Amino acid sequence: VDRDLAELTGQRPHMGMFGGRGQDNPFETRRDEYIALADVRGQILTEQQNNTATAGPALAAARLQSAGDGPFSVGPRAAGPRWRVLVQPATVNGNPVLLVRGISLSDVQAATRRLVMVELVVGLATLGLLGFVAHLLVRTSLRPLESVETTAAAIAAGDLSRRVPEGDPRTEVGRLSGALNGMLAQIEAAFRDRERSEAAARASEDRMRRFVADASHELRTPLTSIRGFAELF
């Protein structure tokens, strides 16, 4: 826009250059453009505008003190497009004047709005697609945990021989399955040792009971005889 603003007119400014659209018309585009000559106090001397550039005079005149500072952007007080304005000093018939050129930024603003809408729509669609893909990936990667849950339920019911299906050791779930299987093997071995220890204790207790019963039976007859002799004596 600044380049187009600088190239808006290459003619030597004069008071009659803006007489009408058919006479020395400086505009070559169909967008909103504005050209004017103003005195050093900011009063517009002559002007010409293309299309509906009605806001150009007021916007340009409001910033004539910025002459020579390069292009600047100004906005209307009411709702409407912003303008890019360039004010440069010039000379007409030996009198110092200011050449005011302005281009409406309505096309730029419209393109920016369209770009923002496209980015929002595409961004939301991309986020939705990424969320869906992430959901599928998470469900697929965590699916082995369902077998872990099933195995844990079977072990809780008393089946200590159950094991978790081995997974890829390069994944977290695979490493977890290997660790769980190792832990379950140790737990099963501990339970088997406990069962053997309890069985040995019960067998020892049974042998002790049988020994006491046999000893009681074997001792009953001599003790009875000793008791009889004792009573006789």
Side-chain angles (χ1 to χ4, degrees):
V1 173
D2 290 348
R3 184 177 62 252
D4 294 342
L5 196 62
E7 298 174 355
L8 185 57
T9 176
Q11 306 178 41
R12 183 182 180 86
H14 55 86
M15 296 299 294
M17 66 180 299
F18 307 132
R21 293 184 180 272
Q23 176 182 356
D24 294 331
N25 187 2
F27 303 111
E28 297 180 356
T29 64
R30 300 181 61 182
R31 63 184 175 185
D32 293 344
E33 297 175 347
Y34 173 79
I35 297 179
L37 288 178
D39 58 21
V40 293
R41 295 174 299 176
Q43 298 295 325
I44 300 298
L45 302 176
T46 180
E47 62 183 8
Q48 186 165 326
Q49 58 193 26
N50 193 33
N51 292 345
T52 59
T54 55
L59 296 177
R63 293 292 297 274
L64 289 180
Q65 65 272 16
S66 300
D69 292 344
F72 54 89
S73 299
V74 291
R77 294 180 180 178
R82 291 176 60 81
W83 285 77
R84 193 69 175 165
V85 179
L86 177 63
V87 180
Q88 292 179 320
T91 303
V92 174
N93 299 329
N95 298 319
V97 294
L98 295 174
L99 177 60
V100 182
R101 287 173 284 188
I103 295 179
S104 174
L105 297 178
S106 58
D107 294 342
V108 176
Q109 292 176 257
T112 304
R113 286 192 295 268
R114 288 195 299 270
L115 178 61
V116 170
M117 291 301 300
V118 169
E119 288 181 346
L120 285 176
V121 173
V122 173
L124 291 176
T126 304
L127 288 177
L129 179 60
L130 289 177
F132 178 72
V133 173
H135 174 72
L136 291 181
L137 289 177
V138 171
R139 288 297 301 272
T140 302
S141 60
L142 296 182
R143 188 169 297 166
L145 291 181
E146 297 178 0
S147 61
V148 174
E149 179 184 2
T150 304
T151 302
I155 293 173
D159 187 4
L160 298 179
S161 62
R162 289 288 296 272
R163 292 294 182 269
V164 178
E166 294 289 344
D168 189 352
R170 294 174 299 179
T171 63
E172 290 82 358
V173 177
R175 291 193 293 270
L176 175 63
S177 300
L180 285 177
N181 286 335
M183 181 187 67
L184 292 175
Q186 293 182 1
I187 292 176
E188 184 182 12
F191 270 97
R192 295 291 179 257
D193 292 340
R194 178 182 175 183
E195 289 176 353
R196 286 193 294 268
S197 177
E198 291 178 351
R202 285 194 297 269
S204 176
E205 183 180 357
D206 291 339
R207 287 194 299 270
M208 181 61 69
R209 288 180 182 276
R210 286 195 301 270
F211 171 76
V212 172
D214 293 342
S216 175
H217 177 71
E218 294 295 335
L219 292 176
R220 183 177 297 114
T221 300
L223 288 177
T224 303
S225 300
I226 293 173
R227 180 181 179 183
F229 280 110
E231 290 177 354
L232 178 61
F233 292 151

